[in-house]
Amino acid sequence: MAAKKSARAKRAKGSKSKPGPEEFRSEALAQALEKQDMAAVALALRHGTTVVPLIRPGARDNPIDGGEVWTYRDPRTGEVALLLFSDARNKPANLPPGVGIYSAGWLRAFLTTYQDRITTVFLDIAGPHPMQAAPADLLAALNVGTDEDADAASET
């Protein structure tokens, strides 16, 4: 009887659908932002995920289509900001409705690719605990303990 119940429980667990984008959350990042601790934010970003607003979400049936990331361009200065969120519920309603959840590797690659265009990064811009960081500072934090960090140390 217990074996049947166990098998049934496993099937029930396996049939659960993946969480919807509105459920995306990084608890470590949320806690770091609450403390306003940049070292903890760096650690959370380096070892966790972050929620990113998307102009166009990726196709669900295509795992290599990550969607198109939305950035904010100041109409007066032309400066570009990347917005990151600890929780999809912290994204303001006036931003595009789509969100994606991305890894540290993705964030590192994105900031590296666009480091000449992105002038600042806002984390949970609308609260509850907003922070702002320079892209170079986040890249440095993301590269700690990586091969790029070792290469930089050997050059000095």
Side-chain angles (χ1 to χ4, degrees):
M1 182 79 158
K4 286 183 181 179
K5 188 175 183 180
S6 174
R8 233 183 324 199
K10 285 181 183 178
R11 278 195 302 272
K13 278 186 178 181
S15 66
K16 286 184 180 179
S17 63
K18 293 181 180 178
E22 66 282 352
E23 298 176 42
F24 291 166
R25 177 173 173 76
S26 169
E27 185 62 33
L29 183 56
Q31 289 177 6
L33 290 170
E34 182 177 357
K35 294 176 185 174
Q36 295 289 291
D37 181 345
M38 195 57 192
V41 167
L43 189 66
L45 290 174
R46 190 166 53 245
H47 297 289
T49 57
T50 187
V51 178
V52 181
L54 301 175
I55 293 172
R56 181 192 57 79
R60 286 189 169 261
D61 60 345
N62 183 355
I64 55 176
D65 181 3
E68 187 177 344
V69 174
W70 181 86
T71 54
Y72 172 77
R73 180 180 303 276
D74 187 313
R76 293 168 299 165
T77 64
E79 292 184 342
V80 176
L82 175 63
L83 278 60
L84 304 175
F85 298 94
S86 62
D87 190 315
R89 291 175 292 190
N90 295 343
K91 181 185 71 63
N94 63 338
L95 297 184
V99 294
I101 190 157
Y102 293 97
S103 68
W106 175 89
L107 182 57
R108 183 183 305 108
F110 189 85
L111 288 173
T112 299
T113 300
Y114 298 105
Q115 64 186 336
D116 294 336
R117 294 184 204 153
I118 296 173
T119 56
T120 194
V121 178
F122 290 104
L123 300 126
D124 282 356
I125 191 168
H129 307 286
M131 284 186 81
Q132 183 176 359
D137 293 342
L138 289 183
L139 267 174
L142 289 166
N143 287 330
V144 170
T146 66
D147 292 339
E148 290 178 31
D149 184 46
D151 292 344
S154 67
E155 291 175 6
T156 57

